[in-house]
Amino acid sequence: MKKHYLLALAFVGIVSYSQVGINNTAPKTTLEISSKTSDGSSSEGFLLPKVTGNQLKAAETAGVYANDQDATLVFVTAAPDEGNRTGQVEGMDSKGFYYFDAGSNRWVKMVSSGTITGSVTELLCSNATHAGVLETTSPAAGVSTNVPYTGGNGGIYSALSIPSIGVTGLTAVLPSGTLNNGNGTLVFTITGTPSAAGTATFNIDLFGFNCGFNLTVEPSTSFADVVDVTIDNQTRQMMTHNLGADPTLDPEQMVQGVHGNYYQWGKKAAVATAYTPATSISGWSTTAAANKAWNSGTEAIPVKTTNDPCPQGFRVPTRNEWISFYNNSTVSNVGTFVALPGSATNFGVGKKFVNGTSTLVFPAAGSRNSASINRAYSSDYWSSTESSTNAFSFTFNSNTITPAYANSRTFGFSVRCISEN
């Protein structure tokens, strides 16, 4: 009964004053909590909910935190696994107090100064590197720019969106995150559709530095960007180029520029391009992305995530969609496949798929696992579907096609996008 009386008194306080006091009778704000003792004989304070970073990543998958949860405050007891540090928990690398910022769709760490304190010694825009090719009037696909920095202080930085000037219609998007202590790289993903051929310029104002980078937009070509294919008895669209390939090149002619980028499963940024040397790649991640990293729905009803590298309106196919595509196609080889271990310099091999009235050629781009590459022997194209701790890929060599082959999520494979609907 005592508990009921206390609840009743609290309710009266809310009705009478629209303010609540705990351990005091004259609250000065909506909620005021006063110390119960002053001699140190009992613990004082306000204990926030304690969660782990992995729990918050699982909450993102379930759609728990959105606009209505803006400014929610929690204490994170352990950072998420490295492979889970994407989306809302990107940059969450240590325990501490975090608040949910619905505007950037990120959990932001509250640092000792109460502000986001990321700083660098130098932002090296002049040393920026680029992946992918832009073509006028075609949506950016697999295009990104890496801007290195020196002297990072390990602080937090906010998300940044930079519209292009010169050639308009593009945006360079930097998600919020955490700087390294020392040197590191900021990865800008390019989105949008360029309005014309020419030079798109992106001016960065960050960490007290003003610099920028330029991207060339190629003229449009007569090659189709997408074609109709039959998948699950439906007409869908599939991109004619691998993600990150040069869209100005004929996708049916096997040359280096049509091989495109390599992606680790569940991650947005490319780990290599067709021009990356076939030697060990520094900083190769051996941490696998978490389940549902590319599809937060089901195989029957897939839902594209923010980690999916495909452009707007497109996504990575599911395992079942690859199977259906294969079952509705006739297949032949392009060029002459070679024996293991493949060739780092043979770009003239691929598979031709005739699906209805459409023809698609898939380069035998091989795969990457830091150093090795088996180009011209076989190739793997990621699906968005998990297989236990691995993930399924669409895999082929000279004589065999396996539309659902389980591979390590940390391998670097090609991506071919299909329309979301």
Side-chain angles (χ1 to χ4, degrees):
M1 295 298 294
K2 185 176 182 180
K3 291 182 179 179
H4 291 294
Y5 290 140
L6 289 174
L7 287 172
L9 289 173
F11 179 74
V12 169
I14 293 171
V15 173
S16 300
Y17 303 104
S18 295
Q19 294 175 318
V20 176
I22 298 179
N23 298 328
N24 67 70
T25 58
K28 307 300 190 298
T29 59
T30 304
L31 173 64
E32 181 180 353
I33 305 174
S34 301
S35 298
K36 188 175 182 180
T37 62
S38 57
D39 57 3
S41 60
S42 63
S43 57
E44 302 285 355
F46 176 58
L47 194 59
L48 284 170
K50 298 177 181 178
V51 296
T52 67
N54 286 334
Q55 288 173 318
L56 291 179
K57 182 60 181 177
E60 177 186 5
T61 301
V64 172
Y65 292 96
N67 289 335
D68 289 344
Q69 286 71 43
D70 191 31
T72 297
L73 181 65
V74 298
F75 185 82
V76 174
T77 58
D81 297 338
E82 187 174 345
N84 276 348
R85 296 177 194 175
T86 59
Q88 291 180 346
V89 298
E90 184 172 2
M92 186 180 286
D93 61 353
S94 62
K95 71 177 185 179
F97 293 98
Y98 288 80
Y99 68 90
F100 183 69
D101 177 17
S104 63
N105 197 35
R106 294 290 188 276
W107 286 98
V108 179
K109 189 174 185 179
M110 298 178 63
V111 294
S112 57
S113 66
T115 60
I116 297 174
T117 58
S119 66
V120 300
T121 301
E122 191 172 9
L123 194 61
L124 303 171
C125 291
S126 59
N127 294 341
T129 58
H130 312 287
V133 179
L134 293 165
E135 180 184 0
T136 183
T137 69
S138 295
V143 183
S144 62
T145 292
N146 294 351
V147 178
Y149 60 83
T150 62
N153 70 340
I156 305 297
Y157 57 89
S158 297
L160 188 64
S161 293
I162 305 170
S164 62
I165 59 176
V167 173
T168 59
L170 297 168
T171 303
V173 179
L174 175 71
S176 61
T178 303
L179 294 170
N180 292 340
N181 286 303
N183 300 339
T185 301
L186 302 175
V187 180
F188 291 82
T189 300
I190 310 302
T191 64
T193 301
S195 59
T199 300
T201 299
F202 302 86
N203 293 322
I204 302 173
D205 183 1
L206 189 62
F207 309 129
F209 291 90
N210 291 280
C211 62
F213 59 86
N214 297 325
L215 293 176
T216 299
V217 180
E218 302 289 348
S220 60
T221 66
S222 59
F223 306 119
D225 294 321
V226 298
V227 294
D228 290 340
V229 294
T230 299
I231 294 177
D232 294 331
N233 298 317
Q234 296 179 338
T235 299
R236 304 283 292 283
Q237 289 188 317
M238 180 174 283
M239 294 177 63
T240 56
H241 290 87
N242 283 358
L243 201 59
D246 186 341
T248 67
L249 297 175
D250 185 343
E252 297 184 22
Q253 298 298 315
M254 294 297 91
V255 295
Q256 187 172 10
V258 302
H259 279 231
N261 297 341
Y262 299 86
Y263 297 83
Q264 291 182 311
W265 188 89
K267 299 181 181 180
K268 192 177 188 70
V271 291
T273 75
Y275 299 91
T276 303
T279 55
S280 181
I281 298 175
S282 176
W284 186 273
S285 174
T286 57
T287 302
N291 286 348
K292 295 187 175 295
W294 275 347
N295 175 15
S296 61
T298 63
E299 284 222 291
I301 308 177
V303 178
K304 179 181 178 178
T305 71
T306 56
N307 296 327
D308 188 307
C310 293
Q312 183 176 1
F314 290 80
R315 57 173 173 76
V316 178
T318 67
R319 169 191 54 180
N320 288 341
E321 287 170 334
W322 274 127
I323 293 172
S324 179
F325 169 76
Y326 172 57
N327 289 338
N328 285 279
S329 301
T330 58
V331 187
S332 60
N333 290 343
V334 175
T336 303
F337 283 76
V338 301
L340 277 175
S343 169
T345 58
N346 186 345
F347 298 94
V349 179
K351 281 283 189 192
K352 179 185 291 187
F353 295 82
V354 178
N355 183 291
T357 60
S358 298
T359 298
L360 290 151
V361 179
F362 288 65
S367 61
R368 297 303 303 252
N369 61 348
S370 179
S372 67
I373 188 167
N374 54 342
R375 182 179 287 122
Y377 166 74
S378 67
S379 200
D380 300 89
Y381 287 74
W382 278 127
S383 81
S384 61
T385 305
E386 302 90 350
S387 172
S388 184
T389 58
N390 296 323
F392 286 109
S393 65
F394 181 77
T395 299
F396 62 78
N397 58 29
S398 176
N399 301 314
T400 305
I401 297 176
T402 307
Y405 190 88
N407 271 299
S408 170
R409 301 182 189 185
T410 60
F411 286 165
F413 290 168
S414 301
V415 168
R416 184 68 68 99
C417 306
I418 63 168
S419 59
E420 290 191 67
N421 299 304

